[in-house]
Amino acid sequence: MGKAEFSLRERDRKRLIKDRLVRLAVSTGGVGVLAALVLIFVYLAMMVLPLFADAHLTPDVAEKNINSSQAVALGIDDYGEHAYVISQRGQVAFWQLNSESSAPEKRVALGSDFQLFARSVASSGWFGFATEQGDVTLFRPQMNSTLQGQQRVFSPRIEKYPETLSFDSNASLTQFSFALNQGWTIAGAFSDNSVQITWKDDIGSKRSYQFNQTFQHLDQLLLTPDGKTLYLRSGSELVIAKKTADSFTVREIVDLSLGQEKHAVTDIKLLSGAYSLLVSHKDGLVSQWFGVLNDGVRSFTHIREFKLASELQFLLPETYRKGFYSFYINGTVQSHYTTSEKLVMFNRAYDKAPSLAAMSNNEKYLIALAGDKLTLAKIDNPFPEVSLSSLWQKVWYESYPEPEYVWQTTSGNDQFEAKFSLVPIAFGTLKAAAFAMLFAVPIAVFGAIYTAYFMTASMRRVVKPSIELMEALPTVIIGFLAGLWFAPIVERHLASVIALMLFLPISTIVVGAIWHKLPKAWVGRFPNGWHAVILMPVIALLAVGILSQSGNIEQWFFAGDVRVFLAEQGIDFDQRNALVVGFAMGFAVIPTIFTIAEDAIFSVPKHLSDGSLALGATPWQTLIHVVLLTASPGIFSAIMMGLGRAVGETMIVLMATGNTPIMDWNILEGMRTLSATIAVEMPESEVGSSHYRILFLAALILLVFTFAVNSVAEWVRQRLREKYRAL
């Protein structure tokens, strides 16, 4: 017998090589995807972590020995190169810090008969001297620099207010305060315990007002920069007077110690913006107070407090931000931010406490005077307003009646404080996803069940590809149609839309019941698996009929106007709302859920359902107890994939909602999502700012949430597969 020469060895070797190459390519692709995800996570984390880092203070950047007798104020320029010192004798000396010269660059004498000194808030830069006779001189040191060739030349000057202001009183002036804002206002306390306010009104006339009551032992007098609020402190008692047309009226009297002797007040200062007061207590406590409007009545309210050491020397509010620096006897410097309640910095910067301190306008340099030495420190404090509490807890912002979750990053007001609570936009993300899934999951899953289990093969070949093609529709088109076409329809026919949501499911059940009651002879003539064709005309006719009766429905049930009826019930309505988003985003999510769920149901082995039917189970029993249990891992994965798609959706929620960061489950109001916030605000945010990095934090939250959803989905899918593998 001849020996066969046929062999598969060569072909098997080629197949083995191909298999290994394909396996290597697939493995490389998978590892590459995981590496890309890890790199994205690392990059986002690197952008976010600096938000929670502490501030840094670099002491002894420059030192200067000066003759500082009776210094009352000082300042530093934005370059940390020049400083000025104001003395009680009415002189302003400008010093170059990096020079070895022992003489100032320039010295300006404002007068020689001044006895009193006052200053406005740091952001304005104005100071004032006054005589006991009540003559007030206002001035502002300006440390300008000009470019001459390639060099920056320092050219300081003193800007004096063109008028010499004065009080109309025969008593001696003991202390005063002032405000410059489209005019001027001065307030003074006199030796006879009287308090007088003088100002220039809108037509340029000088007006004066003197309180009827006297103020014994008046410790402090503070006037806000707008000249409309006057604070008078006697011990721990604070009198708040508000400006009216031609007088000042005492609005309220507040006990700043809250009735506790240990909290006796030692000093008050205006926080940046002059809306809040920082109150220093003798036990080291520092509290923040501002006016709160409740039921139409504004009352001065204790907001928060900071427990500092009892060796506190003085506070220095920041120039523009809502923070302050505290200086202690042993030379320690702390920095707190009021809104975030964050201890930003703790540093032993000096050998002993300085007598005076000031910040540059850009808040990058801190200059202090101790004895006859000026000491310059550099500050790196970029993100004091960000903390876990400000991002995820309620915060009591200035002018708000109570603590709230607020996302508001821009405003037309120069004194605006950005509000970075992530809770409203995270809530909006979950709200949009919840309503979208509420609309999409029943339709997609029940549609997948019917298509895979009941529909004929010829009809399935048309329906399944058609629904899968829906996934190719760009979401920007869906958002465009939802915002500009569908939302106005919902607004005009709101009552009909609500009626459709109620009657469409009922009509489907009614049609099914009627079909079930028809004679078998009639039902048998209709091909099995084509029942959906019967339901479609009914749904279309019902929708047209209800929409045509929108006016009558409003007249019968809502007194002619459904929006007015909702407003009377305390329910707000926005044209672009969660209802529109639910329909639009649900429409986009349905193909994803339907495709995966239908494949899972259709892939259930035929012998399982045939065996169940052969044992006497009905088709519905077979579907519920055999098919759906076997396909449950795939159905759950489909729902989780749809949820991930809904959470990360951007264009639909961007175009179909009002993008208002509110926290309300009302389906007729809008929301703002994390993804939409990133899309809208990232192009306008300053690179490297708190706003910029918080948007990266929002992206990181979306990435982590999506990863968590997918991980849970895979874990549950594996558990379900193991549980029902025996089927």
Side-chain angles (χ1 to χ4, degrees):
M1 179 182 292
K3 187 176 180 181
E5 298 293 336
F6 178 73
S7 174
L8 293 175
R9 184 175 302 169
E10 189 69 23
R11 183 175 297 177
D12 289 345
R13 186 178 297 113
K14 291 181 180 179
R15 181 180 296 171
L16 179 63
I17 294 173
K18 292 179 181 178
D19 288 345
R20 289 180 176 176
L21 289 175
V22 171
R23 186 182 298 112
L24 178 63
V26 173
S27 301
T28 302
V31 172
V33 171
L34 291 176
L37 289 174
V38 171
L39 288 176
I40 292 173
F41 179 84
V42 170
Y43 174 73
L44 293 176
M46 290 175 60
M47 295 297 295
V48 169
L49 287 177
L51 287 173
F52 305 99
D54 292 333
H56 298 283
L57 185 145
T58 306
D60 302 329
V61 173
E63 293 183 351
K64 190 74 175 181
N65 290 316
I66 64 171
N67 182 8
S68 62
S69 64
Q70 297 181 327
V72 291
L74 64 158
I76 181 71
D77 68 350
D78 288 344
Y79 303 101
E81 298 175 352
H82 300 86
Y84 64 80
V85 178
I86 304 173
S87 69
Q88 183 65 54
R89 294 177 297 180
Q91 293 184 347
V92 182
F94 294 91
W95 297 86
Q96 184 176 356
L97 298 179
N98 54 7
S99 170
E100 297 181 357
S101 173
S102 59
E105 286 188 278
K106 186 175 182 179
R107 191 187 300 271
V108 179
L110 298 170
S112 58
D113 56 349
F114 298 125
Q115 289 83 31
L116 304 174
F117 175 78
R119 65 178 303 165
S120 184
V121 293
S123 58
S124 71
W126 285 94
F127 301 91
F129 278 115
T131 64
E132 290 184 352
Q133 292 73 34
D135 296 325
V136 178
T137 299
L138 303 182
F139 65 97
R140 177 166 60 180
Q142 293 189 343
M143 296 186 289
N144 301 323
S145 296
T146 59
L147 286 176
Q148 295 183 2
Q150 299 297 322
Q151 294 184 343
R152 187 173 65 248
V153 178
F154 182 58
S155 54
R157 71 183 185 91
I158 298 294
E159 178 186 0
K160 292 185 65 175
Y161 194 73
E163 302 178 47
T164 298
L165 315 181
S166 61
F167 292 96
D168 298 324
S169 177
N170 295 323
S172 298
L173 184 67
T174 57
Q175 58 177 306
F176 77 102
S177 183
F178 67 92
L180 291 178
N181 182 31
Q182 299 178 352
W184 53 266
T185 305
I186 53 176
F190 296 87
S191 57
D192 59 357
N193 297 326
S194 65
V195 172
Q196 182 185 118
I197 304 100
T198 303
W199 70 94
K200 179 186 287 187
D201 60 18
D202 296 337
I203 60 175
S205 300
K206 182 179 178 181
R207 305 288 297 273
S208 293
Y209 175 78
Q210 182 170 318
F211 288 100
N212 295 326
Q213 68 269 39
T214 59
F215 294 87
Q216 302 287 336
H217 310 295
L218 187 63
D219 295 310
Q220 278 185 273
L221 192 71
L222 278 182
L223 195 63
T224 56
D226 60 3
K228 295 180 179 180
T229 305
L230 179 65
Y231 298 105
L232 305 103
R233 181 180 73 85
S234 299
S236 298
E237 183 181 85
L238 182 69
V239 177
I240 304 172
K242 299 293 292 185
K243 184 179 181 181
T244 58
D246 55 358
S247 65
F248 275 73
T249 303
V250 174
R251 190 186 72 187
E252 59 182 314
I253 301 175
V254 182
D255 180 11
L256 297 177
S257 68
L258 299 176
Q260 301 184 48
E261 181 61 29
K262 65 178 181 179
H263 294 332
V265 177
T266 58
D267 186 36
I268 59 173
K269 289 185 181 296
L270 289 170
L271 193 62
S272 173
Y275 192 83
S276 295
L277 271 186
L278 286 177
V279 180
S280 300
H281 304 267
K282 72 175 184 180
D283 59 350
L285 192 72
V286 173
S287 57
Q288 181 186 3
W289 299 66
F290 57 74
V292 174
L293 187 65
N294 283 318
D295 299 327
V297 178
R298 187 173 296 278
S299 58
F300 207 59
T301 305
H302 175 265
I303 304 301
R304 56 178 65 91
E305 58 189 32
F306 305 88
K307 295 181 179 179
L308 309 183
S310 58
E311 308 85 45
L312 177 66
Q313 284 288 92
F314 64 91
L315 298 180
L316 176 65
E318 293 193 54
T319 308
Y320 295 104
R321 298 184 296 196
K322 304 295 182 180
F324 64 91
Y325 288 80
S326 52
F327 295 81
Y328 299 86
I329 294 177
N330 62 359
T332 300
V333 179
Q334 288 185 359
S335 175
H336 288 80
Y337 199 82
T338 56
T339 302
S340 61
E341 302 185 32
K342 178 180 179 180
L343 175 59
V344 181
M345 184 179 66
F346 185 97
N347 198 311
R348 179 75 181 273
Y350 308 102
D351 295 331
K352 62 178 182 178
S355 57
L356 294 172
M359 293 191 68
S360 60
N361 286 335
N362 59 8
E363 300 177 339
K364 292 184 178 180
Y365 295 97
L366 175 67
I367 190 167
L369 176 63
D372 290 334
K373 181 185 290 186
L374 283 176
T375 304
L376 180 68
K378 188 174 183 180
I379 299 174
D380 181 18
N381 186 16
F383 315 114
E385 65 272 28
V386 180
S387 66
L388 290 177
S389 61
S390 65
L391 293 176
W392 298 108
Q393 295 180 9
K394 288 185 177 181
V395 177
W396 202 336
Y397 295 102
E398 292 178 343
S399 77
Y400 280 69
E402 61 184 6
E404 294 183 20
Y405 300 111
V406 183
W407 174 270
Q408 186 183 5
T409 57
T410 57
S411 174
N413 188 353
D414 292 337
Q415 301 297 334
F416 168 74
E417 179 188 10
K419 302 166 182 65
F420 294 121
S421 176
L422 290 174
V423 176
I425 54 178
F427 175 86
T429 301
L430 297 177
K431 178 181 177 181
F435 285 119
M437 296 298 288
L438 191 64
F439 173 73
V441 169
I443 295 176
V445 173
F446 290 142
I449 292 172
Y450 183 82
T451 303
Y453 193 72
F454 294 104
M455 190 176 287
T456 61
S458 58
M459 191 174 183
R460 180 177 180 271
R461 284 193 294 267
V462 176
V463 171
K464 191 171 187 296
S466 300
I467 297 179
E468 290 174 344
L469 282 175
M470 289 168 52
E471 198 162 11
L473 188 64
T475 55
V476 66
I477 301 299
I478 299 175
F480 176 81
L481 293 174
L484 298 182
W485 173 74
F486 185 64
I489 292 177
V490 172
E491 183 180 23
R492 289 194 304 269
H493 304 284
L494 180 60
S496 298
V497 171
I498 297 175
L500 279 173
M501 295 172 61
L502 296 175
F503 287 107
L504 279 181
I506 297 175
S507 65
T508 303
I509 298 173
V510 170
V511 171
I514 294 174
W515 178 261
H516 183 69
K517 295 297 183 180
L518 290 176
K520 298 297 183 182
W522 295 3
V523 175
R525 296 179 181 179
F526 203 88
N528 192 26
W530 286 83
H531 305 98
V533 177
I534 303 171
L535 190 60
M536 291 178 186
V538 175
I539 292 176
L541 291 173
L542 183 66
V544 172
I546 292 179
L547 287 175
S548 65
Q549 298 299 314
S550 179
N552 293 330
I553 294 174
E554 290 194 47
Q555 187 66 41
W556 295 335
F557 297 100
F558 304 106
D561 194 327
V562 64
R563 295 182 61 181
V564 172
F565 176 82
L566 292 174
E568 292 174 350
Q569 309 304 315
I571 301 174
D572 296 326
F573 175 84
D574 295 328
Q575 185 190 67
R576 301 184 181 186
N577 50 50
L579 178 62
V580 175
V581 172
F583 279 118
M585 195 152 65
F587 182 83
V589 171
I590 281 174
T592 301
I593 302 176
F594 172 86
T595 301
I596 300 174
E598 201 274 344
D599 288 339
I601 297 170
F602 192 77
S603 299
V604 173
K606 187 68 173 173
H607 67 268
L608 292 179
S609 57
D610 290 344
S612 176
L613 294 171
L615 291 173
T618 64
W620 277 102
Q621 290 174 329
T622 301
L623 172 67
I624 294 172
H625 297 289
V626 177
V627 176
L628 292 183
L629 290 180
T630 307
S632 58
I635 296 174
F636 183 81
S637 296
I639 295 174
M640 290 295 102
M641 289 289 289
L643 177 61
R645 168 79 184 277
V647 167
E649 180 54 48
T650 302
M651 293 310 300
I652 294 177
V653 293
L654 184 63
M655 303 177 73
T657 70
N659 284 315
T660 306
I662 58 176
M663 296 183 61
D664 195 331
W665 281 109
N666 182 6
I667 195 173
L668 300 178
E669 283 191 313
M671 79 291 290
R672 188 164 200 171
T673 65
L674 290 166
S675 57
T677 301
I678 296 171
V680 170
E681 300 187 9
M682 183 63 79
E684 300 177 357
S685 61
E686 179 186 354
V687 175
S689 64
S690 299
H691 182 204
Y692 181 80
R693 292 184 183 274
I694 287 175
L695 293 177
F696 275 90
L697 176 59
L700 180 62
I701 292 171
L702 282 176
L703 177 65
V704 171
F705 183 85
T706 304
F707 179 80
V709 167
N710 290 335
S711 299
V712 171
E714 180 62 21
W715 179 77
V716 174
R717 188 182 69 85
Q718 293 291 346
R719 295 291 300 269
L720 292 175
R721 171 180 278 181
E722 293 176 2
K723 183 175 181 179
Y724 299 115
R725 180 176 295 174
L727 294 177

